[in-house]
Structures are given as C-alpha cells and as structure tokens.
C-alpha cells in the first residue's frame, strides 16, 4: 500500500532510484506485510474512534434535550408538556424515585435523612465518566434543596493535608523571605529554565506574605463561567470578607448585579496582556485604567510559569510603580503551583495546567474559614439544561485539552457534598 | 599568447595599482586641514563677525529648494498621509508604510510659528564648559539642543536653561533607559527638564530605532507630559545629507548638530551656533573633553565632524551664521 507518486515527480524519482541502484524489493509483494497491516490497524482505530464520537455526541445532545424538557419549570416562561401537580412541591420523578422540587432551597436541614441520601447520590458518582452528565446534573439539582453547612471535621482534615503539601500562608507568592536574592528559581513548566533572582528582581518582591492562615471568615472565589449571568449574586459576593477573581474580568455596571464589585485579589494571565495590551511595550495607560476598576485589589501574576511570562509580569510591576500606584503586585511561587498541581493530580484532576480558579480556591481554602464559589461551571449547559455562554462576558472558548475544567468542577461538587466548600450555581436572593 | 602569459599580465597590473595608490597617498587630491591649522585659522579670525544678509537669504533659498524644511522637517499628517511609504534614510531598502497605528502619532501640521527670529543651536562640545554662554543662549527666541543633554545646575551658567527643540537619538533611549521596556519613570522625569518643548526623534532613519522612538512617544503620552513629539522625516534627512555631501562632508551620516543647523538656516533669520568643536584641543591649547558633560568618544568614522566644522566655519566667515567657539563676552547689566 504505497502512496501514488505525483505525476511530475515520478520520472525524477525513478531516475534517482536508477542511479542509486535502489529498488524496494517488497514493493510488489507486500500485500499483507508489516506495513499494510499497520496501516489497516490505524485506519480501523480511527474509524472506531470516529464512530464512537458520532454516537456519543448524538446521545449527549438527545439526553440534554430530554433533560431540559423534564425540568420545564426552571426554564421560566417555557412550560412544555409537563403538568404541574396541585402544590408543586412533590412530583414523581423519571425513575420512580422521589424528587424534591421545592421552589426555594434551604428547605431541608443539612443533617436530615433526605439530604444525606441526596449527598450519597452525588458521592456515588466516583468519576465523571461514570454517569451521563445529565444524570449528574439532576442529582446536583436535587441537592440544591438542602442547606449547606460546613463539615468541620472534613474541612479541617482537608486544610491539614493542604498545609502539609502546599502551605499557602508562606509559599503562595514569592517574597523576600522565601526567595532570598541569589536564589536560582526554577520555572514551573520550562523546568530547564532557571531564573537567578538578581537584586533588581528581588526588590520587586513583598517583604513577607500579606495574608496569614485562616485570616478571613468568609471568602468568595468568583469564576468567570456563564453560569453566573443573571444570578443576581452581586450583593452576596460583596458581603464576603475577601473576594478573589480570575483573569481581570469586567465588573462594570452591566455585570455588577451578578458578580459584585468588591475585589481583593485578581489574577492576570500574561497571555491577556500579550494579546490585548501588546505586552505593555506600547501604550500602558489603557491597562492601568482597566486595573483602576478594581479598587484596592492586589494583582497576582504567574510570572514564573514559563520564560515568556516573566518579562510581561515584571512590566506590570514597573508600570504600576511608574504610575505611583499603591496596588500590591505578587507573583505566584512556582514551587507552590507545582505542589498544588501534584496535590490535585492525586485527587483526580489531571491536566496540562490547572485553571487559575482552582489555584485561587486552593489558596482560599488555607486563608479562609469558609470558601464560597460562584461562577464555577464548566459544562455547556447549566444544571437545568439550558445552554450558557462560556464566560459571563463573552463566549470565547479556550484551547481544547489544556485545562481539565469538567474534572475540576466535578471535584468541587464532591467537595461541596462533603461540606468543605460551598458551590453556588443557582440564583441568589 | 594572451592565454599563456596571463600570470605575467596580472602582476603588471597589480604593480601599477600599488603605484597609483602610493601616488594618491603622497599627493592626496583632497586633504582635511589638521587640527592645528584649524585652530590657527579660528584664532586669526578672532571675534570679528559681520552679518551678511545676502548669504543668509541665499542659504535659505538653497535649502528651501533642496529640502523644504518648512514643510518637510517632521513627519506630519499633511506630508505623510495614510499609506505613504517612508524610506529609511540610514538603511538600504527598508521602509515603513504609514498605517493606522503610526498615523495617529503624527502631528497635524508644522507646529512651529514661522518665521523664527533669533535661533541658537547648541552643540554638546566640550568648549561650552566654563564658557559662560548660558545667558547668551537664553536670549535667543528659539533654542535647539542635541541628544538630550543634561541641563543640571552645574551647567546652567554655560548652556542656559531654556529649550524649544531637543533631538533624541533612539540609541540613547536604548542605552540609558533600557529601551523603555521596563520602568519609564526615569525617562519621563528626565524629560521634565526640557519644559514644554518639542522632541525631535529620527524614528524612521534606522531599523532598530523605530520601536524605541515610538515607545518614547507612548511613554510621554501615557504620563500626559506637555512635550510634543516630532518624528524626523527621513526624506528631509536624506536631502539634507545630499546637500552637504555635495559641499564636501564625507561622513557615513551627518551629525545631529549639522541637521539642526541646516534646519535653523532654513527657518530662522539669524542663527548662532554654540558648542560645535570636535577637536581635542581648545583655542588656548588646553585639552577639551568631547562633550561638556562627559568624555565618551563616539564611534569613529561614523560622523565626519571635522569636515562639518570646516563647512560651518566657512559659513561663519561669510557671515551666514555665527559660531561661538570661545568664551562668550561677559554681558553688562543683569539682563
């Protein structure tokens, strides 16, 4: 099975072959030889994969449609063929089980038997691929009727293991204390790349970690998922003691009702600066104006992620100094990020890179007593099956295969049921 | 015959060439006067100087004909509309097409109020030190300086304080301000010395100079500085270079000082040049530093400074412009 030679090249190749005295001895005979078998195998594999994709994809869409029809009451104006029962509180579910369809959450106490059952249902899903996404969504939706309460034992255990592995209160950022001048800092990804900390760089570090252990009572980590749109969670978020945000999301009037305005820490991905602000090599004021939207918030950059990020991140610090801004600029410690990645890999989140949301949640778990998550949802539809945008401000999809978002979210759902964090996916009031 | 003896022919030609080279070495066609001769010449001339209006008018006419400094000296929106190709004057076949991004940086039109009356072009030569010319310079209506010279307190007496136009070489930005890639505060602060003057940058002369120059613009605009950035028009620089090459200046590139003098000759009614002295010995036989603020010698053979000086001295003798190479006379009164 040889590729046909192109017309124009054929005589040339033939001549070459003549001159070199080379001719493939198996060219005529290789009917079921090594190469052809290999080729057939590859073809078969590809075909099977394609078929699988098609079948699975179809199934997925079908189930989603079915699913949204069943849950018509949450889609608001669309009622569909579902007949409401007289009080609307109890309805027979699809598979004969009881369904708790209260219109408000918090009806059931955390420790009631019903809630324990519901929580067990989620915990039964050991891996994401075990059940259909729609099934997981339904279980998650059912759990919403229960009040969330922190499980002290689980939480303290979790925090203990986190502080053993990562120790955010002293290693989250590079500081003068944990990275003395002259240290050879190893990059997170380009492990061959080593950055010697010169006095110039050392001067940019803060003296010590600005945040202590369990300093704040209630923290909110705001993801940028489209799930937060129309959630009206702004007030609730603003009432938190400490608010984390990822990748400088817009928080102007258009969105502030949903996402709030309070920001204490915001991460910036250097790729954003590269794309939107030309690496800060040209204009700098537009970027400064963007940062001015976040009052008093500190800026965190993964400067030591790879060699490309370093220059851009340092430029942010220089720029803020030039504008006489008092805003804190911190750089994630590469070792901390590596430790966190290792920690989550054990928990089942394996990806090329963790999302900055997960990084912040990890840091928040050590810094705060209670962690609330808003806007973390990595599926194309919300729990009631309505399609949502990727971000609350746009619908730009990320590079596939880079982050393992669904796994991260699944992990959060588990942690929610275990009572470690509180994941908000519905509307606030 | 010819084929067989080509080796012999070659050696004959080689010997002839060597002879011709020796001839030119011994009896050069063109020879620059030595430093000593120039100093003698300058001393002979002394402080005597007579203004020559016809010379001034002639040179203004010549320069307007060749280079049109009034319209062309800077890149403006008028003379470089969108899509115009600016050919770099210091490079072979390298150009920049004016696009949306760069067009926005240009000034609308020639911002200078013409005609200018009394202009002073201040070079950075070491003769300025202890010259006491500061007050003299400050009395001019339009003061041009080269390459962001320091105007700190210790030099005020010699070089004055006011500035209306200052040139900045991209290489200075590269060396002194790390290309403006990091902190820009140092640059912006050092620019405050020049008040609200024009900064004249040859952004489109050399390939590596474009980015630093544009970055200087961004830095100044970001800090809402009251300096105005003017980008030198490469076409103007090229025509001025040709103008002086025809008059016997054989450098690879003219010095900024001569560009400014040509600009002043084209725009002003009266030009005085201070601090143009490219020699290591002063009029009083004392060694003179290269600049009034340091003694870093330039890259040799890049500028033909002595030739330029000779040209300027010719202009001085003919009364077209006035060169100040010694001490300025102490002025009476407190003005």
């Amino acid at each position: 099975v040889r590729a046909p030679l192109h017309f124009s090249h054929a005589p040339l190749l033939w001549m070459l072959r003549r001159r070199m005295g080379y001719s493939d001895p198996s060219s005529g005979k290789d009917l079921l030889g090594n190469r052809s078998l290999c080729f057939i195998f590859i073809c078969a594999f590809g075909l099977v994969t394609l078929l699988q994709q098609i079948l699975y994809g179809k199934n997925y869409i079908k189930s989603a449609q079915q699913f949204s029809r069943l849950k018509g009451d949450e889609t608001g104006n669309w009622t569909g063929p579902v007949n409401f029962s007289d009080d609307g509180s109890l309805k027979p579910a699809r598979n004969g089980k009881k369904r708790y369809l209260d219109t408000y959450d918090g009806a059931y106490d955390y420790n009631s038997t019903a809630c324990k059952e519901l929580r067990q249902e989620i915990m039964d899903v050991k891996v994401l691929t075990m059940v259909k996404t729609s099934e997981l969504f339904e279980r998650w939706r059912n759990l919403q009727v229960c009040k969330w309460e922190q499980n002290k034992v689980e939480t303290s255990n979790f925090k203990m293991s986190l502080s053993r592995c990562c120790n955010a209160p002293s290693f989250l950022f590079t500081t003068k204390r944990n990275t003395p001048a002259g240290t050879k800092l190893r990059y997170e990804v380009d492990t061959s790349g080593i950055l010697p900390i010169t006095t110039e760089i050392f001067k940019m570090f803060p003296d010590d970690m600005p945040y202590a252990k369990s300093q704040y009572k209630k923290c909110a980590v705001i993801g940028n998922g489209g799930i937060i749109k129309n959630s009206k969670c702004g007030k609730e978020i603003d009432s938190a003691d400490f608010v984390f945000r990822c990748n400088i999301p817009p928080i102007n009037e258009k969105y502030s009702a949903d996402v709030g305005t309070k920001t204490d820490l915001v991460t910036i991905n250097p790729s954003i600066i590269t794309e939107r602000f030309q690496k800060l090599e040209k204009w700098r004021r537009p970027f400064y104006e963007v940062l001015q939207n976040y009052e008093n918030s500190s800026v965190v950059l993964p400067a030591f992620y790879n060699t490309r990020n370093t220059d851009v991140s340092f430029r942010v610090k220089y720029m803020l100094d030039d504008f006489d801004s008092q805003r804190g600029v911190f750089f994630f410690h590469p070792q901390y990020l590596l430790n966190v990645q290792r920690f989550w890999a054990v928990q089942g989140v394996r990806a090329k890179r963790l999302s900055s949301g997960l990084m912040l949640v990890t840091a928040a778990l050590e810094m705060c007593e209670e962690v609330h998550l808003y806007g973390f949802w990595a599926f194309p539809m919300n729990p009631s099956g309505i399609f949502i945008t990727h971000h609350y401000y746009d619908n730009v999809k990320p590079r596939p295969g880079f982050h393992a978002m669904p796994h991260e979210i699944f992990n959060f759902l588990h942690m929610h049921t275990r009572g470690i964090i509180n994941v908000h996916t519905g509307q606030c009031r | 015959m010819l084929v067989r003896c080509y080796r012999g022919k070659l050696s004959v030609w080689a010997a002839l060439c060597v002879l011709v080279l020796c001839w030119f070495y011994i009896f050069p066609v063109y020879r620059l006067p030595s430093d000593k001769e120039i100093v003698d010449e300058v001393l002979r001339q002394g402080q005597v100087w007579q203004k020559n209006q016809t010379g001034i008018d002639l040179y203004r006419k010549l320069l307007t004909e060749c280079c049109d400094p009034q319209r062309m000296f800077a890149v403006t929106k008028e003379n470089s509309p969108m899509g115009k190709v600016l050919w770099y004057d210091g490079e072979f076949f390298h150009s920049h097409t004016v696009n949306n991004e760069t067009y926005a940086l240009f000034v609308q039109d020639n911002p200078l109020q013409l005609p200018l009356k009394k202009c002073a072009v201040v070079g950075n030569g070491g003769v300025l030190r202890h010259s006491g010319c500061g007050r003299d310079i400050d009395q001019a209506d339009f003061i041009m300086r080269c390459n962001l010279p320091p105007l700190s307190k210790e030099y005020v007496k010699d070089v004055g304080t006011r500035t209306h136009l200052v040139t900045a070489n991209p290489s200075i930005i590269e060396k002194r301000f790390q290309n403006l890639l990091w902190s820009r505060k140092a640059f912006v602060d050092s620019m405050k010395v020049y008040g609200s003057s024009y900064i004249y940058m040859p952004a489109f002369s050399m390939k590596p100079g474009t980015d630093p120059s544009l970055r200087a613009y961004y830095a100044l605009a970001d800090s809402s500085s009251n300096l105005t950035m003017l980008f030198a028009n490469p076409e103007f620089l090229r025509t001025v270079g040709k103008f002086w090459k025809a008059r016997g200046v054989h450098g690879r590139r003219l010095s900024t000082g001569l560009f400014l003098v040509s600009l002043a000759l084209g725009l002003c009614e009266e030009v005085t040049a201070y601090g143009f002295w490219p020699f290591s010995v002063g009029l009083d036989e004392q060694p003179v530093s290269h600049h009034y603020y340091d003694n870093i010698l330039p890259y040799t053979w890049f500028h033909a400074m002595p030739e330029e000086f000779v040209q300027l001295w010719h202009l001085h003798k003919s009364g077209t412009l006035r060169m100040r190479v010694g001490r300025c006379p102490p002025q009476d009164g407190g003005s």
Side-chain angles (χ1 to χ4, degrees):
Chain A
V1 189
R2 282 168 54 212
L5 291 170
H6 200 272
F7 280 121
S8 56
H9 290 171
L12 192 83
L13 271 175
W14 177 74
M15 268 170 68
L16 263 174
R17 215 168 265 179
R18 281 288 295 273
R19 284 197 63 177
M20 282 155 61
Y22 169 77
S23 79
D24 193 357
S26 62
S27 61
K29 288 177 271 172
D30 185 20
L31 214 63
L32 265 177
N34 265 344
R35 276 188 296 171
S36 41
L37 265 181
C38 191
F39 180 75
I40 290 168
F41 274 135
I42 292 171
C43 280
F45 181 74
L47 219 72
V48 168
T49 321
L50 210 77
L51 227 80
Q52 227 175 9
Q53 287 279 319
I54 293 167
L55 286 180
Y56 180 75
K58 227 177 180 178
N59 199 6
Y60 188 73
I61 292 165
K62 216 198 306 180
S63 70
Q65 275 171 350
Q66 196 182 18
F67 179 44
S68 63
R69 196 171 303 130
L70 268 171
K71 191 59 187 158
D73 53 344
E74 280 209 4
T75 54
N77 50 5
W78 191 78
T79 45
V82 178
N83 291 319
F84 286 99
S85 49
D86 44 1
D87 59 342
S89 64
L90 267 167
K91 245 197 296 185
R94 233 184 341 175
N95 38 15
K97 271 192 203 165
K98 260 187 174 178
R99 279 186 64 180
Y100 308 94
L101 280 174
D102 285 42
T103 42
Y104 58 94
D105 70 4
Y108 288 83
D109 204 40
Y110 181 74
N111 284 322
S112 64
T113 42
C115 278
K116 273 187 182 156
E117 218 174 275
L118 285 171
R119 264 183 279 142
Q120 194 52 45
E121 268 190 359
I122 291 223
M123 292 307 287
D124 282 345
V125 185
K126 295 288 187 242
V127 280
L128 186 59
T129 44
M130 214 172 92
V131 292
K132 277 182 204 158
T133 328
S134 52
E135 178 65 30
L136 178 71
F137 285 3
E138 196 176 332
R139 293 183 189 185
W140 173 251
R141 211 155 12 114
N142 290 340
L143 187 66
Q144 297 300 308
V145 302
C146 298
K147 240 183 218 156
W148 182 84
E149 208 172 276
Q150 196 171 34
N151 187 334
K152 297 278 185 224
V153 184
E154 288 263 15
T155 312
S156 65
N157 275 349
F158 198 86
K159 281 185 181 172
M160 192 77 86
S161 58
L162 260 184
S163 70
R164 220 175 293 135
C165 96
C166 314
N167 196 6
S170 54
F171 278 103
L172 179 56
F173 306 139
T174 49
T175 60
K176 280 184 181 158
R177 180 179 281 191
N178 65 27
T179 350
T183 319
K184 296 207 165 27
L185 211 60
R186 200 176 280 276
Y187 282 98
E188 190 192 340
V189 173
D190 306 344
T191 35
S192 56
I194 286 172
L195 185 79
I197 301 296
T198 57
T199 44
E200 186 90 345
I201 301 170
F202 183 69
K203 255 188 274 168
M204 290 191 284
F205 294 160
D207 290 329
D208 206 356
M209 270 310 279
Y211 311 113
K213 193 171 183 144
S214 295
Q215 188 180 352
Y216 303 101
K217 182 96 186 53
K218 186 186 162 197
C219 294
V221 184
I222 319 299
N224 294 336
I227 187 99
I228 206 171
K229 210 192 255 178
N230 303 327
S231 70
K232 303 274 170 275
C233 284
K235 269 206 191 113
E236 204 175 308
I237 290 168
D238 285 345
S239 71
D241 298 321
F242 200 86
V243 180
F244 297 82
R245 286 175 204 275
C246 317
N247 286 346
I248 45 171
I251 51 167
N252 48 23
E253 307 83 54
K254 202 172 151 198
Y255 305 109
S256 61
D258 294 332
V259 299
T261 52
K262 183 176 158 84
T263 314
D264 292 287
L265 201 97
V266 60
T267 69
I268 307 174
N269 203 332
S271 70
I272 298 176
I273 302 174
T274 309
E275 279 159 31
R276 274 169 56 195
F277 303 102
Q278 295 99 29
K279 294 185 180 181
L280 295 182
E281 282 176 7
K282 295 182 173 176
W283 296 100
R284 288 185 175 178
R285 192 169 273 280
F287 182 60
Y288 178 70
E289 302 287 338
V290 166
L291 286 188
Q292 286 302 91
N293 294 333
Y294 307 93
E295 281 175 39
N296 306 324
S297 87
S298 303
V299 172
V300 184
L301 296 138
F304 308 109
Y305 172 62
N306 63 20
T307 39
R308 260 171 304 155
N309 286 2
T310 314
D311 289 0
V312 179
S313 312
F314 287 169
R315 225 165 268 155
V316 172
K317 171 77 177 158
Y318 283 125
M319 181 205 74
L320 287 173
D321 284 350
D322 283 357
F323 282 112
D324 293 322
S325 170
Q326 297 301 314
R327 196 182 295 279
V329 178
F330 305 116
F331 307 119
F332 277 125
H333 200 294
Q335 196 55 47
Y336 176 80
L337 297 187
L338 269 179
N339 287 341
V340 169
Q341 191 146 3
R342 230 168 270 155
F343 177 84
W344 287 112
V346 173
Q347 313 276 321
V349 182
R350 287 160 206 275
K352 244 178 161 175
R353 169 135 170 86
L354 299 183
S355 68
S356 34
L358 185 52
M359 293 291 176
L360 288 183
V361 172
T362 320
L365 274 168
E366 286 197 68
M367 277 161 50
C368 319
E369 287 178 18
E370 216 179 288
V371 180
H372 292 256
L373 267 58
Y374 299 86
F376 278 87
W377 198 256
F379 304 101
M381 57 210 77
N382 69 7
S384 34
I386 300 166
F387 282 92
I388 51 174
T389 52
H390 186 71
H391 289 140
Y392 68 82
Y393 44 90
D394 65 16
N395 199 9
V396 180
K397 301 274 192 302
R399 210 164 79 203
F402 197 62
H403 291 315
M405 290 285 197
H407 289 271
E408 291 178 10
I409 304 300
F410 178 66
N411 205 35
F412 288 149
L413 300 188
H414 262 218
M415 283 164 73
H416 177 96
T417 44
R418 280 160 68 192
I420 300 168
I421 53 175
N422 188 354
V423 182
H424 296 257
T425 56
Q427 291 216 332
C428 303
R429 72 180 68 87
Chain B
M1 179 70 191
L2 219 151
V3 180
R4 224 186 293 156
C5 301
Y6 71 96
R7 261 192 213 133
K9 288 249 164 171
L10 192 75
S11 51
V12 169
W13 280 115
L16 252 170
C17 280
V18 170
L19 264 175
V20 168
L21 283 177
C22 288
W23 180 269
F24 277 121
Y25 183 72
I26 298 162
F27 305 106
V29 179
Y30 159 83
R31 193 172 61 88
L32 197 71
S34 71
D35 295 6
K36 189 102 179 58
E37 286 169 322
I38 291 174
V39 171
D40 286 345
E41 161 96 30
V42 170
L43 280 176
R44 202 178 318 127
Q45 184 78 17
Q47 293 282 341
V48 187
W49 183 77
Q50 187 91 46
K51 187 176 162 186
N52 175 4
Q53 193 57 46
T54 51
I56 293 171
D57 289 342
L58 173 73
Y59 260 84
R60 187 176 307 132
K61 195 164 146 274
L62 281 177
L63 276 166
T64 310
E65 269 169 17
C66 91
C67 325
D68 196 6
Q70 295 193 7
R71 204 171 66 81
M72 294 300 290
F73 83 102
V75 180
T76 61
K77 283 181 181 169
E78 296 275 310
N79 64 30
S80 316
M82 198 94 75
K84 162 142 181 148
V85 180
L86 299 172
W87 288 96
Y88 283 48
D89 66 309
E91 302 271 347
F92 287 112
F93 299 115
H94 190 257
S95 65
H96 172 89
T97 311
V98 178
N99 53 23
N100 248 332
E101 201 181 327
T102 41
Y103 183 73
L105 313 183
F106 300 155
V107 288
Q108 181 59 41
D109 201 5
N110 179 8
L112 307 179
Q113 271 132 23
L114 297 169
L116 303 165
K117 275 206 136 55
K118 243 182 94 179
C119 293
V121 182
V122 185
N124 295 335
V127 275
L128 268 180
R129 189 175 263 174
H130 311 302
S131 69
C133 286
R135 201 181 290 159
D136 232 37
I137 291 170
D138 277 348
Q139 277 171 3
D141 300 320
F142 198 81
I143 300 165
M144 304 182 184
R145 294 176 197 273
C146 309
N147 284 346
L148 303 181
L151 296 179
S152 48
K153 233 183 200 121
E154 50 182 315
Y155 305 122
V156 159
K157 227 168 96 7
D158 302 330
V159 299
T161 51
R162 291 167 65 220
T163 311
H164 296 93
L165 188 140
V166 59
T167 71
N169 217 326
S171 67
I172 296 179
I173 286 176
E174 203 178 318
K175 276 181 210 144
R176 268 173 42 197
F177 304 107
Q178 295 94 41
N179 241 335
L180 295 180
L181 282 176
W182 310 108
S183 185
R184 290 173 174 179
K185 201 178 182 59
F187 173 71
V188 172
D189 285 349
S190 73
M191 284 306 180
K192 283 186 182 142
V193 179
Y194 305 110
S196 57
S197 58
Y198 298 103
I199 300 223
Y200 188 68
M201 287 195 82
F204 304 106
S205 294
M206 302 277 190
K207 217 188 308 184
T210 307
D211 280 345
S213 319
L214 296 186
R215 234 170 266 141
Y217 179 92
Y218 294 129
L220 292 177
D222 276 349
S223 61
S224 48
S225 155
N226 46 8
L227 290 154
T228 314
M229 184 69 96
L230 300 176
F231 296 113
N233 197 330
E235 217 174 307
F236 172 71
L237 298 188
R238 187 182 298 114
T239 47
V240 168
K242 264 191 209 154
F243 178 85
W244 287 111
K245 195 159 254 179
R247 278 160 184 74
V249 177
H250 298 103
R252 263 180 60 195
R253 199 173 150 75
L254 297 188
S255 69
T256 318
L258 196 56
F259 279 127
L260 284 187
V261 169
S262 343
L263 180 64
L265 282 174
L267 297 181
C268 311
E269 288 176 1
E270 210 182 309
V271 182
T272 319
Y274 300 86
F276 282 81
W277 188 256
F279 310 108
S280 52
V281 182
L283 290 177
D284 46 359
E285 308 277 317
Q286 292 296 310
V288 163
S289 61
H290 186 69
H291 291 141
Y292 69 82
Y293 44 89
D294 65 18
N295 197 11
I296 297 165
L297 293 176
Y299 181 58
T300 34
W301 298 121
F302 197 69
H303 294 315
M305 295 274 198
E307 288 181 5
E308 292 177 7
F309 180 81
V310 169
Q311 290 305 315
L312 291 179
W313 191 252
H314 279 313
L315 292 183
H316 173 84
K317 274 198 292 189
S318 66
T320 313
L321 61 77
R322 179 155 201 191
M323 296 274 285
R324 287 279 195 188
V325 285
R327 290 170 173 280
C328 291
Q331 298 214 335
D332 41 78
S335 64

